[in-house]
């Protein structure tokens, strides 16, 4: 039953829709469908990367903690969006947290299978590399904005 569900899912998700049958077979073999309940944490900031995640249905919030330990939303993701890739490729701990906003189903490729998938499906590697570049650029801009805000507010405190 999992394979039948994955067939339909892979054809419907934009990231996988243009892959060949052979490429989709690799994804089917190396992925699992994992349900998450509303409010369930998928991974936390500082945790080691363990998987690539793609949303089959539901919504996920990507967030960080501020100085008061409050959740600061950074991005809301929905069906077809994927995450966890930056830490997975860099090997660095997650710089943000991810949590299910409602009941979700995620297609998950575990870390130990991810490199095999990228080597076996070069087209996917290129698409993910483009996404990684955009996200790293946006992350850099976001961090510069936060530093600028902190500098401006500390400068105002001095006046």
């Amino acid at each position: 039953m999992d394979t039948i569900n994955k067939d339909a899912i892979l054809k419907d998700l934009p990231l996988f829709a243009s892959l060949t049958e052979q490429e989709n077979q690799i994804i089917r073999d190396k992925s699992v469908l994992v349900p998450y309940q509303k409010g369930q944490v998928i991974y936390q900031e500082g945790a080691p990367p363990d998987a690539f995640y793609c949303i089959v249905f539901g919504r996920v919030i990507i967030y960080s903690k501020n100085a008061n330990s409050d959740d600061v939303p950074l991005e809301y993701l929905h069906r077809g969006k994927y995450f966890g890739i930056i830490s997975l490729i860099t090997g660095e701990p997650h710089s943000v947290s991810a949590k299910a906003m409602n009941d979700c189903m995620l297609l998950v490729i575990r870390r130990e299978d991810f490199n095999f998938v990228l080597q076996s499906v070069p087209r996917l590697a290129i698409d993910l590399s483009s996404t990684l570049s955009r996200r790293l650029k946006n992350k850099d801009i976001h961090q510069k904005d936060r530093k600028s805000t902190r500098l401006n507010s500390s400068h105002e405190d001095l006046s």
Side-chain angles (χ1 to χ4, degrees):
M1 181 164 159
D2 193 35
T3 303
I4 294 169
N5 288 338
K6 280 191 206 173
D7 286 337
I9 288 165
L10 292 174
K11 288 176 185 169
D12 193 45
L13 293 173
L15 180 63
F16 306 112
S18 66
L19 298 180
T20 67
E21 180 56 37
Q22 183 180 7
E23 291 168 331
N24 272 331
Q25 183 63 49
I26 293 167
I27 304 298
R28 277 194 301 275
D29 292 346
K30 298 296 182 180
S31 66
V32 292
L33 295 173
V34 181
Y36 285 86
Q37 294 180 341
K38 179 180 179 176
Q40 187 176 357
V41 173
I42 299 162
Y43 59 75
Q44 291 189 318
E45 188 172 342
D50 62 345
F52 166 87
Y53 304 89
C54 184
I55 302 171
V56 176
F57 67 79
R59 291 189 58 179
V60 170
I61 182 171
I62 304 297
Y63 64 97
S64 189
K65 297 278 187 186
N66 66 14
N68 297 327
S69 294
D70 297 322
D71 292 351
V72 178
L74 302 174
E75 192 172 5
Y76 297 94
L77 304 175
H78 54 84
R79 185 189 114 357
K81 300 296 181 183
Y82 46 92
F83 57 100
I85 183 173
I86 293 174
S87 296
L88 197 57
I89 290 178
T90 64
E92 296 178 3
H94 290 291
S95 59
V96 295
S97 298
K99 179 171 47 177
M101 290 183 64
N102 53 16
D103 290 349
C104 297
M105 178 67 67
L106 304 181
L107 182 116
V108 178
I109 302 174
R110 302 278 179 221
R111 180 182 188 155
E112 54 272 12
D113 294 322
F114 188 70
N115 285 339
F116 176 81
V117 168
L118 292 185
Q119 290 170 356
S120 303
V121 187
R123 200 167 17 156
L124 187 60
I126 291 168
D127 287 349
L128 293 176
S129 294
S130 296
T131 298
L132 177 61
S133 296
R134 280 193 309 277
R135 288 186 183 173
L136 287 174
K137 182 178 178 182
N138 289 340
K139 182 179 172 188
D140 186 46
I141 290 169
H142 177 72
Q143 286 176 339
K144 285 179 183 175
D145 286 347
R146 285 195 333 202
K147 285 180 185 175
S148 175
T149 302
R150 281 197 306 260
L151 287 175
N152 288 339
S153 64
S154 65
H155 181 269
E156 291 167 3
D157 291 344
L158 295 174
S159 0

